[in-house]
Amino acid sequence: MTKFYSFHGTVTMITDLIGQNGEGDGCKKLISVQNGMGTIVNFVVSPTTHFVDHVMVAVGDRVTGYYDGNAPALLIYPPQYQALVMVKDSPYQNVKVDYFNSQLESSDGQLRLNVSPYTQIVLTNGQPFTRNPANRDLIVIYGPSTQSIPAQTTPYRIIVLC
């Protein structure tokens, strides 16, 4: 179970990440994100980073980067984290990345899923996931939700992070 932390803000810079020996093959990027209070976080984006809806991210875009809060991090400023999931803001959908238990409730107790026959459940490569999504790390894409605690929603799509 991954402990997902997130940081939301505006992309201020995207650069190629160059290795210690000066080699840079263009496969990794460093995306700098600044929030409304001026705090900056650098995300290392690799080919394994999942971009929801496979969107292209550019300077000026509003994004949320998710990273493993239990992973070791360099003690540098600005902080630098390995991005697991990147989400570009959209007015038409909400996204939650978290571990969902056997009741399909998020680990922070803020969201409960009511899966319908119309909910698309897929792997990160877009292929169908045919098992129960409970007790897994999920990317949940949803619209409206109740104002109860936990909020309840019928997701549009669930992406299973295997």
Side-chain angles (χ1 to χ4, degrees):
M1 175 172 110
T2 304
K3 181 66 178 166
F4 289 99
Y5 284 75
S6 66
F7 186 81
H8 181 263
T10 303
V11 175
T12 58
M13 184 175 60
I14 301 173
T15 58
D16 284 334
L17 192 61
I18 298 173
Q20 291 177 342
N21 299 331
E23 74 277 355
D25 59 5
C27 290
K28 288 187 176 182
K29 303 281 184 193
L30 192 68
I31 297 180
S32 296
V33 178
Q34 183 174 6
N35 70 8
M37 296 182 289
T39 305
I40 298 170
V41 166
N42 289 329
F43 286 107
V44 175
V45 175
S46 70
T48 60
T49 302
H50 182 76
F51 281 77
V52 172
D53 296 328
H54 303 287
V55 295
M56 294 286 192
V57 173
V59 171
D61 288 342
R62 304 273 300 157
V63 299
T64 302
Y66 292 87
Y67 58 96
D68 184 352
N70 294 329
L74 298 172
L75 294 175
I76 59 173
Y77 183 82
Q80 182 172 302
Y81 303 113
Q82 177 68 46
L84 300 176
V85 178
M86 294 293 288
V87 181
K88 185 175 173 179
D89 281 9
S90 169
Y92 309 110
Q93 66 185 18
N94 301 302
V95 177
K96 179 137 183 110
V97 180
D98 206 346
Y99 175 83
F100 286 81
N101 66 18
S102 61
Q103 303 300 312
L104 288 176
E105 187 173 307
S106 62
S107 67
D108 62 6
Q110 296 297 306
L111 187 65
R112 179 173 290 152
L113 308 180
N114 299 316
V115 178
S116 83
Y118 301 104
T119 301
Q120 183 185 29
I121 304 175
V122 296
L123 297 166
T124 54
N125 62 10
Q127 299 306 301
F129 182 78
T130 56
R131 309 279 310 259
N132 185 347
N135 297 312
R136 296 179 183 273
D137 293 331
L138 305 174
I139 302 170
V140 179
I141 297 134
Y142 64 100
S145 63
T146 64
Q147 295 195 8
S148 60
I149 297 178
Q152 295 188 39
T153 188
T154 303
Y156 302 143
R157 185 166 28 123
I158 297 172
I159 302 168
V160 179
L161 297 170
C162 289

